[in-house]
Amino acid sequence: MLTNAVQRAQDILVRPFSLGSLSLPNRVVMAPMTREFSPGGVPGEDVARYYARRAAGGVGLIITEGTYVGHASAGNSARVPHFHGDEALAGWSAVAEAVHREGGRIMPQLWHVGMDRTAGNPPVPDAPRIGPSGIALDGSHAGQEMTRADIDDVVAAYASAAASAEALGFDGVEIHGGHGYLVDQFLWSRTNRRTDGYGGDVARRTRFAAEIVAACRAAVSDDFPISFRLSQWKVNNYQARIAETPQELETVLGLLAEAGADIFHCSTRRFHLPEFEGSDLNLAGWAKKVSGKPAISVGSVGLSNEFLQVFQGEQARVTDIADLLDRMEREEFDLVAVGRALLGDPEWLTKILAGRVDELTPFHVGLVGSLH
Ligand SMILES: Cc1cc2nc3c(=O)[nH]c(=O)nc-3n(C[C@H](O)[C@H](O)[C@H](O)COP(=O)(O)O)c2cc1C
């Protein structure tokens, strides 16, 4: 017999959602997670099977791990997949096919690391480390300020990847605009000190991101969904903010929506934390409110014991699953992304919706080392 919590989860999570040409059977998204299992930048059959398992496990939409756009300075690992070049794209075509065979939907996440290009084994070792001002996340001068030609090249690389995604049969694309990588380095005042039209106030700092969105929009069909992922926090800096106020957030997202973004994927580490004072809304809630566009929330869904206790029929106190379902019922945001819990167990959603929580494989960091 289903507990009330399981029934409620079914009622709220298993509602269809559509966005342009994309129709989803439920509201649960697999969050993008870098796995580094694509030697030479080419995703193989093991990567296809990894995503197909999550599709078979019922997740409505898969957003892939970050994939490098076709620009020499885009990446910092030779094992992160590319989204350019015949071999890598053939690998991605097989991934999309495998996911579709299981009834799933999938979007690649398009990525350029910018000044984060520090690790030992980048795909193009002698390419320069570039960013809006050559300034790393810690504020140090550590690379080259992008020229206007660099900017145009990167924008074109995103557009080309978006066109490839549509041509290969993907269901949309996501632009990685968060976590302190290149697009976010433009959005953040600490790393963007430019004095041309790409730097200055929050609207000018949004110009690069908006040009990427507009170029992607122009490269794909009108109804091909474009998601934009953003975060306030940066790698190693959880206090950082691109928008200090709802008004600043409205400026950023308004420009991105105008450029053609269809949905905002708001990366927070805990979905239940309010974003600005005076309201319970989280970042996704605010994004939806100020932009009028749908939003995806994320952050620690399914990881706490309280989450599971509710499903096991223990006292119905306000715990994170109840809070999540309340927020979704109120339409604070439209979709919820799940990362680590789905990395732990490909069948996470199926088991949750059947109340089979005893059978879940919980996430632990050791699982990051394998592609199960
Ligand atoms: C192993 C791992 C790799 C990640 N890689 C990416 C990535 O490539 N792109 C991205 O936007 N977020 C990335 N993230 C962040 C996740 O998408 C997600 O926002 C985060 O894990 C919080 O969700 P969770 O609490 O459900 O795991 C990564 C997270 C993990 C655990």
Side-chain angles (χ1 to χ4, degrees), residues 31-34 66 109 176 179 229 267 298-301 303 338-340:
M33 284 178 286
T34 292
Q109 189 188 53
H176 193 343
H179 302 178
R229 194 170 218 220
S267 171
V298 67
S300 302
V301 173
L303 294 180
V338 177
R340 287 164 290 176

Side-chain angles (χ1 to χ4, degrees), residues 292-314:
K293 293 284 180 188
I296 309 173
S297 188
V298 67
S300 302
V301 173
L303 294 180
S304 73
N305 288 334
E306 286 86 355
F307 186 96
L308 298 180
Q309 279 165 9
V310 168
F311 279 97
Q312 282 160 335
E314 298 204 358

Side-chain angles (χ1 to χ4, degrees), residues 97-116:
E97 229 172 80
V99 166
H100 289 155
R101 253 197 316 271
E102 296 294 347
R105 315 275 187 284
I106 183 165
M107 296 182 177
Q109 189 188 53
L110 307 181
W111 190 21
H112 190 305
V113 302
M115 292 298 297
D116 191 59

Side-chain angles (χ1 to χ4, degrees), residues 11-12 34 62 71 78 175 194 208 220 223 280 299 318 338:
D11 292 345
I12 293 172
T34 292
I62 291 168
H71 184 264
I175 294 162
R194 296 179 76 98
F208 178 65
V220 297
D223 60 355
D280 267 355
V318 180
V338 177

Side-chain angles (χ1 to χ4, degrees), residues 53-65:
R53 278 194 287 280
R54 272 73 190 171
V59 67
L61 171 67
I62 291 168
I63 300 176
T64 71
E65 62 203 289

Side-chain angles (χ1 to χ4, degrees), residues 320-340:
D320 62 5
I321 181 65
D323 187 9
L324 175 71
L325 297 176
D326 287 347
R327 287 169 188 265
M328 294 187 82
E329 196 169 34
R330 293 197 293 268
E331 313 266 339
E332 178 178 333
F333 42 81
D334 302 274
L335 302 173
V336 64
V338 177
R340 287 164 290 176

